[in-house]
């Protein structure tokens, strides 16, 4: 790769040019487009995935929700591997190219899998069973395709934003200000892309067809790769292998830190730099201290996991809940249930402005803290808002179940596909509240884990934040699977019954609210005793 000093790159995938003529906005715009397109593709699949699983693929609500959560968890955890591959082997540029090719392959396979006949297209036999229910081969082909998308996303997520930021020199005053602006436009592109995608693609998938619904994201990713490659000669590259810390991979650095921690002398403790003139011993001492720094973060990380469970609900159970409501607007138009996730994106954008322009200045005058409130206070506020979100969701579900009973949609006198006579606007507050919670908790976790991770292990910061969402999704999948099995026992009715009018999502939301309340207490205890790293932005 071309180095920062301007040496030509020996890599055939990279351009042979001098660094001073590279980078800046001309390069960043290519990269922003790639991320916008990737988010379009990802949300085009994830936002309405549960509808495909319970529809054409014929799965139960519980099985579909658990499957979506497991896939989301994998997609959030795999960036740890993607970052390690980029840092230690491929470099960011080649990781982005390889991930894009894999993305297009996975989306193409998804499109092909959706062209197989579904039970709805085949009709039903006399015994009420679909005469051409999806075969095990068809389901396997679908899931292989789906997890290829997750693997591809794991290469994009840790690399594209960092590669975009690489196009600006933080040590140059003019480029440093442009770099700050880059992050603003980056986040704007993500929010805009996600909101537009959910609105458009959920309608296409529900009303036009799943083949087109999966095919459009595939074409968008193909176009994104072409545009990214067109910008190759303008990009700025650093280092000799894409790695950080002198070419050492992330996992290698963590391994060295733990070895150093085990090697330290129990009699003398850690050795400071230069204390014995032994550079290797001093390096081991610093790395051992880094391990202690990581250990201090574990209680905060663990007490954020339930938020990851709450974060998993909009694309699964919230969507199934919305599907039962009266979603008509005007005489004939009906809003797709997954499209209600747009209110989440709109809420996030609005709350970011309110937080930055109203809350921070007001809080700063009271607390004297430059950021208004500390990072941990911000995260805790978001967890509290998620508790309110779950309480509101449970109350709305109780009202929905009463409306279903009063309308005869539970006793078998009406079809379980009939809409409950209750407006979609009843469910909007839980999306808006969760959007507000995201502004506090999600952004707070990003800042906290980046800011508080020890210096030599900074690259793990955002990966730790993503792992909260990944583990939270796995916990959600586990809870749904266990509760479904327990409540079905001895002929009982599952909380996640395919006919939600007979189920009890309200009980599940109340259970999550109780667990979140316990999480908030634990988080408050550990955050009260947490001492911020010196010179960290949050320490004041």
């Amino acid at each position: 790769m071309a180095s920062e000093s301007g040496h030509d790159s020996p890599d055939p995938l990279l351009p042979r040019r001098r660094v001073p003529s590279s980078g800046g906005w001309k390069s960043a715009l290519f990269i922003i487009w790639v991320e916008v397109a990737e988010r379009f593709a990802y949300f085009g699949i994830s936002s309405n995935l549960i509808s495909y699983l319970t529809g054409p693929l014929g799965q139960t609500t519980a099985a579909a929700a658990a499957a979506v959560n497991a896939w989301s968890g994998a997609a959030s955890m795999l960036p740890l591997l993607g970052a390690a591959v980029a840092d230690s082997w491929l470099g960011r540029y080649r990781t982005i190219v390889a991930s894009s090719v894999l993305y297009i392959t996975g989306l193409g396979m998804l499109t092909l899998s959706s062209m197989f006949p579904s039970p709805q297209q085949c009709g039903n036999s006399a015994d009420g069973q679909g005469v051409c229910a999806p075969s095990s081969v068809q389901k396997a082909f679908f899931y292989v395709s789906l997890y290829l998308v997750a693997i591809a996303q794991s290469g994009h997520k840790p690399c594209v934003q960092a590669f975009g930021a690489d196009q600006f020199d933080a040590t140059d005053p003019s480029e440093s200000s442009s770099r700050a602006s880059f992050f603003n436009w980056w986040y704007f592109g993500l929010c805009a892309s996600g909101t537009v995608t959910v609105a458009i693609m959920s309608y296409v998938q529900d009303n036009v067809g799943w083949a087109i619904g999966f095919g459009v994201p595939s074409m968008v990713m193909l176009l994104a790769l072409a545009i990214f490659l067109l910008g190759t000669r303008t990009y700025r590259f650093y280092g000799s292998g894409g790695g950080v810390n002198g070419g050492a991979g992330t996992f290698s650095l963590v391994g060295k830190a733990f070895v150093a921690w085990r090697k330290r002398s129990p009699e003398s403790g850690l050795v400071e730099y230069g204390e014995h003139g032994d550079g290797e011993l001093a390096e081991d001492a610093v790395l051992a201290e880094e391990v202690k720094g990581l250990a201090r973060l574990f209680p905060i990380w663990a007490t954020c996991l339930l938020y990851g469970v709450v974060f998993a609900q909009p694309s699964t159970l919230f969507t199934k809940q919305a599907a039962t409501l009266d979603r008509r607007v005007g005489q004939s138009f009906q809003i797709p249930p997954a499209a209600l996730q747009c209110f989440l994106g709109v809420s996030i954008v609005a709350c970011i402005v309110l937080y930055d322009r109203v809350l921070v200045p007001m809080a700063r005058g009271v607390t004297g803290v430059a950021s208004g409130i500390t990072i941990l206070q911000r995260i805790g506020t978001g967890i509290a808002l998620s508790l309110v979100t779950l309480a509101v969701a449970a109350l709305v579900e109780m009202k929905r179940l009463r409306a279903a009973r009063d309308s005869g949609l539970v006793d078998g006198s009406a079809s379980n596909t009939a809409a409950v006579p209750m407006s979609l606007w009843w469910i909007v507050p839980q999306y808006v509240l969760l959007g507000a919670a995201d502004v506090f908790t999600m952004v707070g976790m990003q800042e906290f884990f980046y800011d508080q991770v020890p210096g030599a292990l900074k690259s793990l910061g955002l990966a730790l934040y993503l792992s909260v969402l990944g583990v939270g999704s796995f916990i959600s999948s586990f809870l749904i699977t266990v509760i479904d099995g327990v409540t079905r026992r001895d002929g009982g009715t599952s909380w996640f019954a395919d006919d939600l009018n007979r189920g009890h999502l309200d009980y599940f939301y109340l259970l999550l609210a109780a667990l979140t309340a316990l999480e908030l207490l634990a988080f408050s205890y550990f955050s009260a005793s947490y001492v911020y790293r010196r010179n960290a932005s949050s320490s004041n």
Side-chain angles (χ1 to χ4, degrees):
M1 292 185 184
S3 69
E4 192 172 5
S5 61
H7 296 155
D8 289 339
S9 167
D11 192 328
L13 275 177
L14 304 181
R16 298 178 66 84
R17 49 91 180 108
R18 297 186 68 81
V19 166
S21 64
S22 65
W25 278 109
K26 63 182 178 182
S27 301
L29 290 176
F30 285 107
I31 299 168
I32 288 175
W33 163 250
V34 171
E35 180 65 8
V36 168
E38 188 275 331
R39 290 292 87 187
F40 182 95
Y42 182 79
F43 286 119
I45 302 300
S46 64
S47 63
N48 206 23
L49 183 58
I50 193 168
S51 298
Y52 183 79
L53 295 179
T54 56
L57 223 56
Q59 295 188 354
T60 64
T61 298
V68 172
N69 286 332
W71 177 74
S72 298
S76 295
M77 295 296 289
L78 283 172
L80 287 166
L81 178 61
V85 169
D87 282 352
S88 306
W89 182 31
L90 285 180
R92 289 167 183 162
Y93 175 87
R94 283 173 289 187
T95 301
I96 294 169
V97 173
S99 297
S100 297
V101 172
L102 190 59
Y103 228 127
I104 295 165
T105 302
L107 290 171
M109 291 172 62
L110 274 179
T111 304
L112 182 60
S113 72
S114 68
M115 294 179 180
F116 290 109
S118 67
Q120 293 94 325
Q121 294 169 323
C122 296
N124 293 322
S125 61
D127 62 357
Q129 300 297 317
V131 297
C132 62
S135 66
S136 58
V137 174
Q138 180 181 346
K139 289 182 179 180
F141 186 79
F142 170 80
Y143 276 108
V144 168
S145 308
L146 190 63
Y147 275 87
L148 277 179
V149 172
I151 294 171
Q153 190 260 172
S154 74
H156 263 268
K157 208 168 186 68
C159 293
V160 179
Q161 184 176 18
F163 190 60
D166 285 347
Q167 307 311 307
F168 302 95
D169 184 357
T171 63
D172 181 271
S174 61
E175 289 201 17
S176 179
S177 62
S178 295
R179 187 177 186 177
S181 182
F182 163 78
F183 283 108
N184 292 334
W185 284 106
W186 180 273
Y187 193 72
F188 176 84
L190 295 192
C191 291
S193 178
T195 303
V196 172
T197 300
V198 170
I200 295 177
M201 297 313 300
S202 60
Y203 179 83
V204 171
Q205 291 162 353
D206 287 353
N207 297 278
V208 180
W210 288 98
I212 296 178
F214 289 153
V216 170
S218 179
M219 297 306 297
V220 169
M221 277 303 300
L222 182 61
L223 179 61
L225 176 58
I227 292 177
F228 180 73
L229 292 175
L230 284 175
T232 297
R233 297 190 64 82
T234 74
Y235 298 146
R236 180 177 296 169
F237 299 90
Y238 296 91
S240 58
V244 293
N245 302 313
T250 300
F251 290 168
S252 173
L253 189 59
V254 173
K256 285 183 179 180
F258 276 95
V259 169
W261 178 72
R262 294 186 64 183
K263 285 167 55 181
R264 70 178 183 173
S265 169
E267 292 82 14
S268 59
L270 294 179
V271 183
E272 300 296 334
Y273 270 120
E275 182 177 345
H276 297 291
D278 188 333
E280 182 179 355
L281 190 59
E283 181 183 359
D284 284 351
V286 173
L287 287 173
E289 188 66 26
E290 306 288 59
V291 174
K292 290 179 62 179
L294 281 178
R296 292 171 59 247
L297 300 180
F298 179 76
I300 302 298
W301 179 87
T303 52
C304 288
L305 292 179
L306 256 295
Y307 188 83
V309 178
V310 181
F311 184 81
Q313 303 314 311
S315 61
T316 53
L317 297 181
F318 280 16
T319 297
K320 293 300 292 183
Q321 190 181 12
T324 67
L325 301 177
D326 182 357
R327 292 172 280 107
R328 292 175 297 174
V329 176
Q331 295 297 318
S332 58
F333 182 74
Q334 184 164 263
I335 297 177
L340 293 179
Q341 294 172 51
C342 290
F343 289 104
L344 189 65
V346 171
S347 174
I348 289 172
V349 172
C351 289
I352 283 175
V353 175
L354 289 174
Y355 180 85
D356 189 64
R357 300 298 180 182
V358 179
L359 179 60
V360 169
M362 290 177 58
R364 186 185 296 133
V366 176
T367 65
V369 177
S371 58
I373 55 178
T374 65
I375 304 175
L376 289 176
Q377 287 172 342
R378 181 174 186 171
I379 296 173
T381 301
I383 294 175
L385 282 173
S386 72
L387 174 58
V388 176
T389 301
L390 291 167
V392 169
L395 291 173
V396 170
E397 179 62 9
M398 291 176 187
K399 178 176 176 58
R400 192 194 68 80
L401 290 174
R402 284 197 301 270
R405 287 194 297 269
D406 294 344
S407 303
L409 298 178
V410 180
D411 58 10
S413 61
S415 169
N416 62 9
T417 61
V420 174
M422 180 175 164
S423 171
L424 66 90
W425 299 110
W426 280 96
I427 203 173
V428 169
Q430 63 201 59
Y431 286 99
V432 173
L433 283 169
L434 189 55
D438 279 355
V439 170
F440 284 89
T441 301
M442 298 286 283
V443 179
M445 284 194 299
Q446 291 180 50
E447 184 179 0
F448 176 79
F449 287 115
Y450 179 81
D451 191 54
Q452 295 296 299
V453 164
L457 302 173
K458 283 288 187 184
S459 60
L460 286 177
L462 292 181
L464 283 173
Y465 141 73
L466 289 171
S467 70
V468 169
L469 304 183
V471 175
S473 292
F474 286 133
I475 294 174
S476 180
S477 178
F478 173 78
L479 286 174
I480 290 172
T481 301
V482 171
I483 292 171
D484 180 61
V486 170
T487 53
R488 283 182 184 274
R489 188 177 300 167
D490 300 326
T493 302
S494 171
W495 288 4
F496 314 102
D498 292 339
D499 180 0
L500 287 185
N501 297 334
R502 300 175 182 272
H504 272 293
L505 289 186
D506 53 338
Y507 291 174
F508 183 64
Y509 293 151
L510 288 173
L511 173 63
L512 292 185
L515 293 175
T516 301
L518 294 176
E519 174 197 43
L520 183 58
L521 290 175
F523 179 85
S524 300
Y525 173 79
F526 287 112
S527 62
S529 59
Y530 183 84
V531 178
Y532 290 99
R533 280 171 53 84
R534 288 180 301 172
N535 300 323
S537 61
S538 55
S539 60
N540 28 330

